């Protein structure tokens, strides 16, 4: 079997992606831990860059999701009008880089403070590279090429951990570490294309033309951007809506947010493309499959929140130092708040698998808007964060449920 020949979508593929995701999660934890200790007072600036970078990358995950949905094995004679994956990926990548570099002049200082445009440049480069990586991984998901996909997932974050560790050991500060954060994205693309001899992109084609592909991506990117607001970009929003909160307190809350919600939320989102394939093939059994997965996620979240309440606060201090101490109850409730977000991510994959791009986007957009509104409540930073992250995803989930019910009725009537 060639490295890009479609494999079965059973337990073997799931185990590969699960193992890769778990390894990536451990490496991501390590990055945050060494950055917090190595940068100390400068960690807040790095956290803002990290949040901004993965807010953009999270939004561009919509490229991966649409490529996953639309990719099919290339036939000997391609149907006319179908988009070429390579041309599509390159065009979107260049457009993203140019857009960020041009607009960064206006918002760079507001987001990154005195470093301003200096951090906009690595942000733009990282975003452009992420489009290429998203297209490569999306194609592998669509073709069920689990082995090279698992390699890409692990290699991306492992190289990032290695580079950041070396940079901190050499005494580099935020700007240098920012560049070392984005370089691995491009290296992974090169490595995967080298291992597969480029067949990962030439072995498949999209099932739509360029116009339809771009339209679908725009709708999915909007939803992915809203997803990123509730996940990787939330620390950035929390800081913007908390101008009077001391930097030390903000750093502690952001660090706690990052560590406590990542196991459930980031893992679920990492499996979105896999689940799109799963739900796409499940057809009439989507509802049952979705409910079973949501129940499992809830169980894991509840157990995790109890453990976090018991040992989470002390563990955070052990990892990053006393500067990052928070209340034990806050740590436990923050883990519990990750359950609704994970549910929203799961329901979104089911909706997208049925081709419900508009409802998919609407669910995440509504949730993001509600989250931002709740962050403006007159309360302390911990309370606002908990309420926002607990309530907003449930509102978006309701939108997705409406879409799934309508799709189910349409399937029953043959519409």
């Amino acid at each position: 079997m060639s490295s890009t020949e479609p494999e079965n979508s059973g337990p073997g593929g799931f185990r590969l992606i699960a193992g890769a995701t778990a390894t990536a999660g451990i490496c991501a934890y390590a990055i945050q831990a060494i950055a917090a200790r190595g940068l100390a007072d400068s960690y807040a600036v790095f956290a803002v860059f990290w949040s901004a970078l993965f807010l953009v990358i999270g939004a561009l995950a919509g490229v991966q999701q649409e490529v996953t949905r639309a990719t099919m094995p290339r036939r000997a004679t391609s149907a006319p009008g179908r988009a070429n994956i390579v041309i599509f990926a390159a065009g979107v990548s260049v457009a993203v880089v140019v857009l960020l570099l041009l607009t960064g002049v206006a918002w760079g200082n507001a987001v990154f403070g005195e470093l301003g445009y200096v951090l906009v440049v690595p942000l733009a480069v990282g975003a452009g590279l992420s489009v290429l990586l998203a297209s490569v991984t999306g194609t592998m998901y669509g073709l069920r090429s689990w082995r090279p996909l698992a390699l890409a997932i692990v290699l991306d974050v492992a190289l990032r951990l290695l580079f950041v560790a070396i940079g901190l050991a050499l005494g580099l500060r935020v700007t240098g570490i920012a560049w070392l954060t984005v370089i691995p994205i491009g290296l992974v693309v090169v490595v995967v294309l080298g291992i597969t001899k480029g067949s990962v992109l030439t072995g498949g084609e999209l099932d739509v033309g360029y116009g339809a592909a771009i339209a679908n991506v725009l709708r999915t990117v909007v939803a992915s951007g809203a997803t990123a607001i509730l996940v990787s970009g939330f620390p950035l929003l929390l800081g913007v809506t908390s101008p009077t909160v001391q930097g030390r307190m903000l750093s502690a809350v952001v660090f706690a947010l990052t560590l406590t919600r990542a196991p459930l939320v980031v893992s679920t989102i990492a499996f979105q493309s896999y689940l799109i394939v799963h739900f796409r093939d499940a057809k009439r059994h989507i509802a049952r499959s979705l409910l079973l997965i949501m129940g499992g996620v809830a169980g894991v979240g509840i157990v995790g929140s109890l453990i976090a309440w018991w040992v989470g606060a002390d563990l955070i201090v052990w990892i990053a130092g006393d500067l990052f101490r928070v209340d034990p109850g806050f740590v436990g409730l923050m883990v519990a708040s990750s359950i609704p977000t994970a549910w929203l991510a799961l329901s979104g994959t089911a909706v997208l698998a049925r081709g419900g791009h508009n409802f998919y986007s609407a669910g995440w957009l509504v949730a993001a808007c509600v989250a931002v509104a709740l962050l403006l409540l007159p309360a302390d930073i911990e309370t606002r964060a908990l309420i926002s992250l607990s309530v907003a995803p449930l509102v978006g989930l309701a939108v997705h449920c409406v879409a799934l019910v309508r799709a189910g009725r349409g399937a029953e009537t043959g519409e």
Side-chain angles (χ1 to χ4, degrees), residues 2-261:
S2 69
S3 57
T4 57
E5 183 179 337
E7 305 166 29
N8 68 63
S9 56
F14 179 83
R15 283 194 293 268
L16 278 171
I17 303 305
T21 302
T23 303
I26 293 172
C27 292
Y29 266 113
I31 292 173
Q32 293 299 318
I34 63 174
R37 283 195 174 273
L39 294 174
D41 292 340
S42 300
Y43 174 76
V45 181
F46 173 75
V48 169
F49 174 80
W50 181 278
S51 180
L53 174 64
F54 285 95
L55 172 60
V56 175
I57 291 178
L60 294 172
V63 174
Q64 183 194 73
Q65 292 164 11
E66 176 56 21
V67 171
T68 296
R69 186 207 64 78
T71 295
M72 58 178 59
R74 184 181 294 277
R75 300 174 181 176
T77 303
S78 297
R82 286 181 175 171
N84 179 282
I85 296 176
V86 176
I87 296 175
F88 174 76
V92 174
S93 177
V94 171
V96 167
V97 172
V98 172
L99 178 65
L100 288 175
L101 289 177
L102 291 178
T103 61
V105 177
W107 50 261
N109 290 334
V111 174
F112 299 126
E114 60 182 19
L115 289 177
Y117 202 76
V118 172
L119 291 181
V120 170
V121 178
L123 174 66
V125 172
L129 292 173
S130 74
V131 171
L132 300 179
L133 182 58
S135 300
V136 170
T137 55
T139 302
M140 289 190 288
Y141 271 115
L143 297 176
R144 299 186 182 91
S145 300
W146 306 127
R147 291 182 179 85
L149 176 60
L151 172 65
I153 293 173
V154 173
L155 193 60
D156 179 38
V157 71
L159 286 176
R160 186 169 295 111
L161 171 60
L162 176 63
F163 284 19
V164 169
I166 293 175
L168 291 171
L170 293 175
L172 298 182
R173 304 311 293 167
V174 174
T175 302
I177 300 300
W179 277 106
L180 293 178
T181 299
V182 304
I183 290 174
I185 303 173
L187 291 179
V188 173
V189 174
V190 174
V191 170
V192 171
L193 291 180
I195 290 176
T196 63
K197 298 180 180 179
S199 61
V200 70
L201 290 182
T202 60
E205 62 182 3
L206 301 184
D207 65 0
V208 294
Y210 290 106
I214 292 173
N216 286 343
V217 162
L218 286 176
R219 287 181 291 184
T220 312
V221 162
V222 168
S224 297
T227 305
I229 287 176
L230 292 174
V231 186
S232 54
F234 192 80
L236 180 61
L237 290 179
L238 192 61
V240 172
T241 57
S242 308
T244 61
V245 176
Q246 293 182 348
R248 178 174 180 175
M249 182 63 180
L250 179 61
S251 294
V253 171
V254 167
F255 190 71
L257 274 169
T258 302
L259 263 65
T260 57
R261 288 173 54 81

Side-chain angles (χ1 to χ4, degrees), residues 322-350:
D322 198 61
L323 177 68
F324 297 89
R325 182 179 295 278
V326 291
D327 183 75
F330 173 72
V331 179
L333 291 174
M334 191 53 64
V335 173
S337 75
S338 65
I339 297 174
T341 306
W343 281 352
L344 181 59
L346 290 170
S347 64
T349 59

Side-chain angles (χ1 to χ4, degrees), residues 301-365:
I302 291 171
V303 173
S305 65
L306 294 175
I307 296 174
W309 200 313
W310 179 36
V311 300
D314 291 334
L315 183 61
I316 288 174
V317 172
W318 179 77
I319 292 173
D322 198 61
L323 177 68
F324 297 89
R325 182 179 295 278
V326 291
D327 183 75
F330 173 72
V331 179
L333 291 174
M334 191 53 64
V335 173
S337 75
S338 65
I339 297 174
T341 306
W343 281 352
L344 181 59
L346 290 170
S347 64
T349 59
V351 171
L352 195 59
R354 299 297 294 265
H357 293 83
N358 289 334
F359 271 105
Y360 174 78
S361 300
W364 280 107
L365 275 175

